[in-house]
């Protein structure tokens, strides 16, 4: 198929279990023109890649509605409508629980303690019918819609189990003599049917409330943006809705207020708390020329700034979008769970029928009643909800916790990969160092001294056209010396090595030792001594030469970050090997690595060399995380198992990276990997308990213990256990919010 595809995420309403998610997913995937559909049960959404020329969202909506659910196709207000639908559903659920409970209490009292009250069975029948068919009617309606398409979900189990218990009890109430003639008592199970409906509805209510807490990180981020701003106009300051702010507007921020949009400060100064988006706890000083970001909080100062990014373009809006996308993504382990959940309900129904058959064959005098009871209990206790919630709720909490700490995780796969990382490669410039290189020294040969101003102009012209951060440092330094650029007739950037150009037909070049050595250009002895001195001081040396000899050298220093050594130590404590790969010369690289505590160094590496080194480690069985910030790191970032970009770096690096650290604090790397391990541990715990619950519960419900100790599980207890299993899985995921990710 060659038609272009479009990918959209739509909210889904009405899903109550992992089986529902599987039904919606398979229904959408079955539509012509749909490339791929992935349902996330925890976020109640579906991500669909489809061909607009072949199918429209309205057709997808009709397909989903046909199996008992709904798709909100309003891409602008979809989330709002979903939230309104969720609130409406919760209110309805609460009312149903209250009325069902009021009707169920007398049924339980009669069924358990006053069995011989006159017309007791008829009273229970009258009270139970509205519990099942009014308060619990959604179970039967959804089960019917599923059955019409040859599908089954949790509603099918609930409807069949309570429906069979109710129908059997009605028969025994109306025709008790049928059993009396056979010498048996006509037992009724109205109380079991009513209590199961109440317990399951109560479980859904608790589950919904717990699930809403898993997205609290998004709510916190959205709450960071103020509703109004103080717009500076010729008439003075005017309070204006934030939606009306345009790029270029000048805004006033008073002490204690939140910054409304991204911009550049032009008047005043203050300290700003940026912890909510960067995780950095210490307020950052801002003065004229500094950038400010939406959602951060001004401290005691007052200032004015110019809006540069508004609406969905602000960093806060992009973080919210990224977190929402990530929370809706599926972890690899979830795909296996989805397959299991898809066949879970039919398998449970088969087990229920087999247990009924076994009781009929071997159950003795009460085979029919106990067989029915076992079949009902098996269907009640088997709950695919816990399976469906195990992975996505942990992922939602983990990604949300990361966002609160300045760690942006692109998708669930990245979070699941992080725990397996056993080798971390760090770039030097901008990652281990501050990324703000400064020229500290400039030396010329004796011959070049006479034309120093002219040659410096050529060097300025060459470096002005380079995108490398070291080139920017040289340009800044030369401009401060009032050097004027000289026009060049030719320019070429030599990736990973430097630049070259022509002036009056004579070639000039500037770059690394690799460039000088590759064309055998001589380095005069006086510059060699100077070069060695600077290299021993961990400075980077850039060579400026013509086609025969080096004319001058530039010493550049980029200070190592104050917490780089701590970050490396934190990684080593977790048993992770740390490597540094840089395009810088070996001597400077070794000095920086020694200061940071790194034992493994690869120096003078081209961008392709960095990617090759990642491949080499992978071939040795390592799971590699690459940390970088520049365009020259993007190839290695793409090759690594897990890519981590520094938020202050290039957009390309952040686009490629699976994890972005908003602040330049390197200790965030160890925290991100620890968060990954905690999340994966929570997923495993959830899956373990969800599977164990069913593995133990279903055989007991079928009556496995009856031959040994006469124990037969009551359907009411099974209903309570089913409700609690989902709540316990979500609660376990929420525990992740309390975990500490500091090393």
């Amino acid at each position: 198929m060659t038609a272009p595809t479009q990918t959209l995420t739509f909210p889904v309403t009405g899903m109550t279990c992992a089986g529902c998610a599987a039904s919606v997913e398979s229904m959408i995937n079955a539509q012509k023109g749909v490339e791929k559909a992935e349902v996330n049960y925890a976020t109640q959404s579906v991500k669909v890649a489809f061909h607009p020329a072949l199918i429209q969202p309205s057709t997808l909506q009709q397909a989903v509605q046909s199996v008992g659910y709904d798709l909100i196709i309003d891409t602008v207000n979809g989330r709002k409508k979903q939230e309104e639908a969720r609130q409406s559903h919760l209110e309805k659920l609460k009312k149903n629980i209250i009325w069902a409970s009021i009707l169920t209490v007398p049924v339980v009292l009669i069924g358990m303690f006053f069995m011989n009250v006159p017309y007791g069975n008829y009273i229970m029948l009258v009270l139970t019918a509205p519990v099942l068919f009014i308060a619990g009617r959604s179970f039967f309606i959804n089960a019917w819609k599923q059955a019409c398409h040859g599908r089954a979900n949790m509603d099918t189990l609930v409807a069949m189990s309570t429906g069979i218990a109710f129908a059997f009890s009605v028969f025994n109430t109306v025709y008790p003599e049928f059993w009396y003639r056979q010498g048996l008592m006509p037992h009724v199970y109205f109380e079991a049917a009513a209590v199961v409906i109440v317990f399951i509805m109560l479980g859904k209510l608790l589950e919904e409330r717990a699930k809403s807490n898993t997205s609290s990180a998004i709510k916190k981020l959205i709450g960071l943006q103020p509703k109004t701003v103080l717009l500076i106009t010729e008439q003075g300051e005017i309070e204006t809705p934030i939606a009306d702010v345009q790029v270029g507007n000048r805004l006033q921020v008073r002490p204690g207020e939140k910054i409304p949009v991204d911009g550049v400060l032009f008047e005043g100064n203050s300290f700003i708390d940026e912890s909510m988006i960067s995780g950095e706890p210490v307020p950052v000083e801002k003065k004229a020329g500094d950038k400010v970001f939406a959602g951060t909080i001004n401290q005691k100062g007052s200032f004015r700034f110019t809006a540069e990014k508004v609406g969905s373009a602000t960093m806060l809006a992009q973080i919210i979008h990224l977190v929402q996308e990530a929370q809706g993504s599926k972890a690899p382990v979830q795909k296996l769970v989805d397959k299991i959940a898809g066949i879970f309900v039919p398998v449970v129904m088969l087990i229920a029928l087999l247990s009924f058959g076994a009781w009929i064959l071997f159950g003795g005098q009460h085979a029919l009643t106990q067989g029915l009871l076992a079949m009902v209990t098996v269907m009640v206790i088997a709950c695919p909800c816990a399976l469906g919630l195990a992975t996505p709720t942990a992922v939602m909490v983990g990604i949300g916790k990361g966002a609160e700490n300045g760690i942006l995780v692109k998708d669930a796969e990245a979070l699941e990969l992080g725990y397996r990382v056993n080798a971390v490669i760090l770039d030097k410039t901008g990652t281990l160092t501050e990324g703000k290189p400064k020229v500290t020294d400039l030396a010329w040969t004796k011959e070049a001294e006479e034309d120093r101003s002219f040659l410096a102009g050529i060097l300025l012209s060459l470096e002005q056209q380079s995108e490398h951060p070291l080139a920017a440092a040289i340009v800044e330094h030369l401009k401060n010396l009032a050097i004027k650029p000289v026009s060049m007739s030719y320019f070429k950037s030599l990736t990973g090595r430097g630049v070259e150009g022509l002036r009056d037909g004579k070639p000039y070049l500037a770059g690394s030792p690799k460039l000088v050595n590759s064309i055998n250009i001589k380095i005069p002895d006086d510059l060699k001594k100077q070069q060695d001195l600077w290299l021993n001081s961990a400075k980077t040396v850039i060579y400026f030469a013509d086609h025969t000899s080096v004319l001058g050298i530039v010493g550049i220093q980029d200070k190592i970050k104050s917490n780089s050594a701590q970050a490396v130590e934190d990684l080593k404590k977790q048993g992770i090997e740390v490597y540094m790969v840089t395009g810088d010369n070996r001597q400077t690289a070794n000095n920086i690595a020694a200061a940071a505590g790194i034992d493994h160094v690869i120096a003078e590496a081209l961008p392709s060399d960095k990617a090759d080194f990642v491949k080499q480690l992978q071939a040795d069985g390592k799971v590699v995380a690459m940390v970088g910030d520049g365009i020259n790191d993007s190839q290695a970032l793409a090759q690594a198992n897990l890519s981590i970009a520094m938020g202050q770096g290039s957009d390309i690096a952040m686009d490629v990276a699976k994890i972005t650290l908003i602040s330049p604090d390197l200790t965030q790397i160890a925290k991100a990997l620890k968060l990954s391990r905690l999340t994966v541990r929570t997923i495993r715990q959830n899956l373990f308990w969800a599977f164990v619950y069913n593995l133990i519960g279903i055989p007991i419900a079928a009556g496995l213990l009856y031959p040994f100790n006469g124990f037969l599980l009551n359907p009411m207890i099974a209903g309570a256990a089913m409700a609690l299993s989902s709540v316990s899985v979500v609660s376990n995921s929420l525990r992740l919010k309390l975990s500490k990710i500091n090393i």
Side-chain angles (χ1 to χ4, degrees):
M1 195 168 286
T2 56
T5 60
Q6 184 178 8
T7 301
L8 292 174
T9 299
F10 303 103
V12 183
T13 60
M15 292 193 297
T16 54
C17 69
C20 302
S23 290
V24 172
E25 191 170 292
S26 62
M27 178 55 77
I28 296 178
N29 273 320
Q31 303 304 307
K32 187 182 178 185
V34 172
E35 194 82 4
K36 187 180 181 185
E38 282 191 345
V39 172
N40 187 307
Y41 174 51
T43 58
Q44 299 278 299
S45 62
V46 57
K47 188 176 181 181
V48 189
F50 62 101
H51 299 277
L54 300 175
I55 190 167
Q56 290 297 306
S58 56
T59 311
L60 296 174
Q61 185 185 40
Q62 289 167 9
V64 173
Q65 286 172 342
S66 72
V67 282
Y69 311 100
D70 200 2
L71 200 66
I72 300 175
I73 56 175
D74 183 344
T75 53
V76 178
N77 300 307
R79 292 283 174 190
K80 187 180 172 188
K81 286 186 176 177
Q82 186 185 33
E83 182 58 25
E84 287 172 356
R86 196 183 76 85
Q87 288 298 337
S88 169
H89 171 67
L90 284 180
E91 288 301 318
K92 194 174 169 186
L93 190 58
K94 279 185 210 168
K95 285 181 186 172
N96 283 339
I97 289 171
I98 292 170
W99 283 112
S101 300
I102 291 172
L103 295 172
T104 299
V105 168
V107 175
V108 173
L109 290 175
I110 294 171
M112 303 291 285
F113 305 107
F114 305 103
M115 287 86 80
N116 298 321
V117 68
Y119 304 105
N121 286 358
Y122 282 99
I123 294 171
M124 288 194 288
L125 190 160
V126 171
L127 293 174
T128 304
V131 173
L132 264 67
F133 305 118
I134 296 178
R137 65 184 181 282
S138 63
F139 295 114
F140 294 89
I141 293 171
N142 290 338
W144 174 250
K145 287 182 178 176
Q146 291 288 317
C148 289
H149 288 81
R151 302 173 192 274
N153 64 0
M154 190 198 83
D155 293 329
T156 309
L157 294 178
V158 175
M160 284 193 67
S161 57
T162 55
I164 289 171
F166 182 80
F168 183 67
S169 301
V170 169
F171 179 84
N172 289 359
T173 300
V174 178
Y175 303 106
E177 60 276 10
F178 175 81
W179 297 104
Y180 287 134
R181 282 199 296 270
Q182 299 177 48
L184 298 171
M185 286 296 292
H187 294 292
V188 294
Y189 299 99
F190 290 119
E191 79 284 5
V195 169
V196 164
I197 291 287
V198 171
F199 275 173
I200 290 173
M201 288 195 298
L202 192 60
K204 298 308 290 180
L205 182 67
L206 294 173
E207 180 188 313
E208 286 294 332
R209 285 186 171 172
K211 270 197 320 190
S212 69
N213 284 331
T214 63
S215 58
S216 60
I218 284 286
K219 290 174 186 167
K220 277 186 192 173
L221 288 170
I222 292 172
L224 290 175
Q225 199 165 42
K227 306 288 183 200
T228 59
V229 300
L230 278 180
L231 185 67
I232 301 169
T233 67
E234 292 178 356
Q235 292 76 37
E237 296 168 1
I238 300 173
E239 189 163 348
T240 307
I242 194 168
D244 295 340
V245 176
Q246 303 291 320
V247 172
N249 283 163
R250 299 198 303 167
L251 308 171
Q252 170 79 37
V253 178
R254 294 173 299 201
E257 287 185 341
K258 292 173 184 168
I259 315 299
V261 296
D262 292 358
V264 176
L265 192 149
F266 68 88
E267 185 182 317
N269 58 72
S270 183
F271 282 83
I272 293 181
D273 179 1
E274 296 185 338
S275 60
M276 56 291 298
I277 60 171
S278 69
E280 174 59 52
V282 182
V284 183
E285 185 180 9
K286 299 285 181 179
K287 52 187 183 301
D290 288 341
K291 292 195 172 191
V292 292
F293 300 100
T296 56
I297 300 173
N298 181 29
Q299 301 290 292
K300 294 181 180 175
S302 179
F303 63 86
R304 295 179 167 194
F305 75 101
T306 306
E308 284 197 329
K309 291 180 180 175
V310 301
S312 60
T314 65
M315 179 187 278
L316 178 64
Q318 289 176 355
I319 289 173
I320 291 170
H321 177 70
L322 188 66
V323 173
Q324 282 176 331
E325 285 284 308
Q327 288 188 328
S329 63
K330 276 190 180 181
V333 68
Q334 181 63 27
K335 290 171 186 170
L336 174 64
V337 175
D338 284 349
K339 284 183 182 174
I340 295 172
I343 59 168
F344 188 82
V345 172
V347 169
V348 167
M349 291 171 71
L350 182 64
I351 293 173
L353 285 173
L354 288 175
S355 63
F356 177 72
W359 274 100
I360 293 295
L361 288 175
F362 309 109
Q365 189 181 12
H366 302 288
L368 181 61
T369 53
Q370 289 182 328
L372 275 173
L373 201 62
M375 185 170 71
V376 166
T377 311
V378 166
M379 286 193 280
V380 168
I381 203 167
C383 173
C385 306
L387 277 180
L389 290 167
T391 304
T393 52
V395 167
M396 284 179 73
V397 176
I399 288 174
K401 189 175 180 67
E404 288 174 353
N405 286 276
I407 301 164
L408 296 183
V409 184
K410 188 173 274 184
D411 54 32
E413 185 181 5
L415 206 57
E416 200 177 320
L417 267 174
Y419 92 101
R420 294 198 287 122
V421 167
N422 52 18
V424 169
I425 300 175
L426 299 168
D427 170 51
K428 183 180 79 66
T429 305
T431 303
L432 277 167
T433 63
E434 290 178 347
K436 296 174 183 172
K438 298 276 184 192
V439 172
T440 57
D441 307 278
L442 177 58
W444 300 94
T445 60
K446 289 176 184 172
E447 293 76 16
E449 277 289 347
E450 292 179 7
D451 295 325
R452 189 170 66 176
S453 181
F454 173 72
L455 293 173
I458 293 177
L459 176 61
L460 175 58
S461 294
L462 287 173
E463 298 292 16
Q464 268 184 334
Q465 298 179 68
S466 171
E467 78 287 353
H468 199 282
L470 297 183
I474 295 173
V475 169
E476 184 186 1
H477 180 75
L478 293 177
K479 282 186 174 177
N480 288 340
L481 295 176
I483 302 295
K484 300 295 180 189
V486 173
S487 63
M488 306 292 290
S489 58
Y490 168 77
F491 172 83
K492 185 179 180 183
S493 176
L494 308 167
T495 305
R497 294 186 296 163
V499 291
E500 66 177 6
L502 282 177
R503 165 71 185 186
D504 299 331
K506 186 177 177 181
Y508 291 92
L509 52 89
S512 64
K514 190 175 279 187
L515 176 62
V516 174
N517 295 333
S518 65
I519 48 181
N520 296 318
I521 289 180
K522 179 186 169 189
I523 303 176
D525 292 339
D526 54 338
L527 288 186
K528 265 189 182 173
K529 289 179 185 173
Q530 197 64 58
Q531 159 205 284
D532 293 340
L533 200 63
W534 293 351
L535 289 175
N536 287 332
S537 305
K539 293 179 183 177
T540 300
V541 178
I542 296 296
Y543 302 81
F544 174 62
D546 59 17
H547 62 293
T548 57
S549 175
V550 172
L551 304 170
I553 55 174
V554 186
I556 300 175
Q557 191 162 42
D558 186 10
K559 287 183 182 174
I560 188 168
K561 288 177 185 170
S562 58
N563 55 14
S564 289
Q566 181 62 52
V568 173
E569 189 181 335
D570 288 347
L571 289 170
K572 286 181 173 177
K573 277 182 189 171
Q574 296 183 60
I576 295 170
E577 292 181 6
V578 184
Y579 299 82
M580 187 182 86
V581 180
T582 175
D584 215 334
N585 67 80
R586 180 162 299 284
Q587 205 162 343
T588 304
N590 285 337
N591 285 328
I592 294 289
I598 298 174
D599 305 319
H600 311 284
V601 182
I602 307 296
E604 300 175 8
L606 297 172
S608 58
D609 294 334
K610 293 182 179 182
D612 288 342
F613 183 65
V614 174
K615 283 183 193 170
Q616 183 187 325
L617 288 180
Q618 288 170 330
D620 293 340
K622 306 280 187 192
V623 179
V624 182
M626 173 74 199
V627 186
D629 73 322
I631 296 170
N632 59 342
D633 299 320
S634 45
Q635 195 176 343
L637 286 168
Q639 175 63 39
N641 301 91
L642 180 66
S643 45
I644 302 175
M646 307 303 293
Q648 310 295 322
S650 71
D651 289 343
I652 292 179
M654 284 187 277
D655 281 348
V656 172
K658 291 281 190 181
I659 293 178
T660 299
L661 307 178
I662 296 178
S663 80
D665 183 356
L666 272 187
T667 58
Q668 294 284 79
I669 300 170
K671 290 179 185 174
L673 298 181
K674 184 175 179 184
L675 175 65
S676 168
R677 280 201 300 279
L678 290 173
T679 306
V680 171
R681 188 176 73 185
T682 305
I683 290 173
R684 288 178 174 176
Q685 288 170 347
N686 287 348
L687 288 175
F688 173 80
W689 288 113
F691 277 112
V692 163
Y693 162 80
N694 282 301
L695 284 174
I696 295 175
I698 291 175
I700 293 176
L704 191 69
L705 296 179
Y706 189 81
F708 306 103
N709 56 14
F711 178 76
L712 201 57
L713 191 63
N714 190 309
M716 291 188 289
I717 305 295
M722 173 186 174
L724 284 175
S725 69
S726 298
V727 176
S728 63
V729 161
V730 180
S731 301
N732 191 46
S733 294
L734 288 173
R735 279 198 316 120
L736 191 56
K737 292 172 82 170
L738 304 175
S739 302
K740 291 182 180 177
I741 59 172
N742 291 324
I743 305 301

